[in-house]
Amino acid sequence: KNFFCWERRTIVLMTPSKRQDEGNRGHHHHRDNDDDDDVDLLGEIAVSANNQGTSIPRKRDYRQRAHCNPLANGRWEDTPTAPDAFREDGHYERTFLEELKKDEGKEAKITFADIGCGFGGLLVRLSPLFPKELIMGMEIRAQVSEYVRERSLALRKEHPGEYQNISGLRTNSMKFLPNYFEKGQLKKIFFLFPDPHFKRSKRRRRIIQTALIAEYAFCLREGGILYTQTDVKDVGDWMKVKLDMSPLFRPMTEGELNEDVCVELLRRGTPTEEGQKVKRNSGSTWLHCYVRVHGNPRY
């Protein structure tokens, strides 16, 4: 049977198979999987990346067109004009922020950012591993970003005292990342399974670009880590070449990779929905991690 799907106030006629294909491709092009275990492979007890609790929102209610043009002029009225204008208490509970402030002796700031977070699988995995870090998922698709936000709230309700440090928001990170983060604010930034944009004419839409690497370096503190992972070799090579050319980053050494808990998590293919799909299909992924260098005079 055919059905009508609302998208940007336009009625689109799709077949069920096409709807499934559209729903499975996105900035993280994730796919549902309800058979995952609820035990983190690193020993942390956590819900799976595709958790379905009693109050967790259903992905099928938040489906949206898979691809968005990040270079298009959209409506971004909620974008802060500067990092000082961004309010963390709009995403995290005030009592939790006050506790962090008391422990750290300063205002709590977001330190982990998942760019193109999809349905928030990585956020759920990182939360118990880094309970004192504020983690933000940034997604360009309105419906998907709303799902991440609702999912975070539902997890807090189902697991009191947990998942207080994760949330999601809608933004275009290729344009507005410095509007959210001060110089050197972030400790870690993730670019996992970004939209590959295969056509040569659309490669300028890829999230890792020479001009944008300087912005990512601005937001990362010295010694901070940038993670990239993809299941498309051409995109993996693209991101590696761009980052290798930048004087602001250096590749992580083998010793650093082996000691990093996030690298271990990504290698096992469990934190994101897309990573789980690749693992189920016995596919390959390309993981490249870079450290923000110290002492660059321009930054």
Side-chain angles (χ1 to χ4, degrees):
K1 297 180 180 179
N2 293 332
F3 68 96
F4 291 93
C5 174
W6 284 97
E7 174 60 28
R8 294 187 181 179
R9 299 182 182 180
T10 303
I11 298 179
V12 182
L13 188 63
M14 300 181 183
T15 64
S17 59
K18 183 175 181 180
R19 182 200 185 210
Q20 182 68 24
D21 292 340
E22 288 289 329
N24 289 338
R25 298 196 306 269
H27 202 62
H28 270 209
H29 43 290
H30 300 313
R31 182 178 296 175
D32 289 347
N33 174 29
D34 295 329
D35 297 326
D36 299 295
D37 295 331
D38 289 338
V39 180
D40 191 310
L41 289 179
L42 292 182
E44 294 287 347
I45 303 302
V47 292
S48 68
N50 288 291
N51 64 306
Q52 292 297 327
T54 57
S55 63
I56 303 299
R58 297 177 300 180
K59 291 181 183 177
R60 65 186 184 187
D61 296 331
Y62 293 83
R63 291 299 184 187
Q64 184 175 340
R65 181 178 179 181
H67 301 283
C68 290
N69 180 7
L71 304 182
N73 293 323
R75 295 184 178 181
W76 308 98
E77 294 87 349
D78 296 333
T79 302
T81 55
D84 291 340
F86 178 72
R87 295 180 60 88
E88 280 80 5
D89 57 7
H91 296 270
Y92 309 96
E93 294 185 3
R94 291 186 179 180
T95 54
F96 177 70
L97 294 176
E98 291 173 357
E99 291 177 4
L100 291 182
K101 181 179 179 181
K102 184 178 180 180
D103 294 340
E104 302 293 333
K106 58 182 179 180
E107 294 290 339
K109 295 287 186 181
I110 296 168
T111 53
F112 287 20
D114 182 14
I115 309 302
C117 65
F119 292 102
L122 179 67
L123 307 179
V124 174
R125 289 295 188 175
L126 291 180
S127 179
L129 293 175
F130 302 93
K132 298 297 183 181
E133 306 288 352
L134 292 184
I135 307 172
M136 178 61 73
M138 312 182 86
E139 172 63 45
I140 194 171
R141 293 170 292 169
Q143 291 279 53
V144 179
S145 61
E146 182 62 22
Y147 171 87
V148 175
R149 188 179 176 90
E150 294 292 334
R151 180 183 186 182
S152 302
L153 296 174
L155 285 172
R156 296 174 194 173
K157 183 181 298 184
E158 286 200 350
H159 305 271
E162 301 179 33
Y163 303 103
Q164 302 289 325
N165 60 333
I166 60 174
S167 187
L169 60 83
R170 179 179 183 247
T171 190
N172 186 341
S173 299
M174 291 180 67
K175 292 185 176 182
F176 303 118
L177 201 65
N179 292 56
Y180 292 91
F181 305 124
E182 300 172 349
K183 177 182 177 182
Q185 179 176 330
L186 296 177
K187 296 180 181 179
K188 297 179 184 292
I189 186 169
F190 299 86
F191 300 92
L192 306 184
F193 302 98
D195 196 327
H197 293 295
F198 291 108
K199 293 182 179 179
R200 184 178 296 274
S201 61
K202 295 184 177 180
R203 287 183 180 177
R204 62 196 182 103
R205 300 181 183 180
R206 289 179 175 175
I207 191 70
I208 298 296
Q209 299 284 349
T210 301
L212 294 176
I213 290 175
E215 290 192 3
Y216 306 149
F218 175 85
C219 297
L220 269 177
R221 64 185 61 181
E222 293 183 350
I225 303 177
L226 183 150
Y227 302 82
T228 70
Q229 188 177 32
T230 180
D231 57 340
V232 181
K233 186 178 186 302
D234 176 66
V235 177
D237 293 341
W238 167 282
M239 295 190 290
K240 184 179 186 303
V241 168
K242 298 296 183 183
L243 288 163
D244 284 343
M245 292 172 57
S246 173
L248 304 174
F249 289 94
R250 66 167 178 81
M252 293 181 70
T253 64
E254 191 62 31
E256 290 172 334
L257 290 171
N258 293 333
E259 295 176 358
D260 191 294
V261 65
C262 294
V263 171
E264 178 65 16
L265 195 63
L266 296 174
R267 281 174 171 173
R268 298 191 182 197
T270 58
T272 66
E273 293 87 346
E274 178 64 17
Q276 292 176 359
K277 183 196 75 173
V278 174
K279 185 177 180 179
R280 289 198 310 273
N281 296 332
S282 300
S284 300
T285 61
W286 287 264
L287 174 66
H288 302 291
C289 308
Y290 289 79
V291 179
R292 173 71 167 89
V293 300
H294 294 268
N296 191 293
R298 290 178 290 175
Y299 286 83

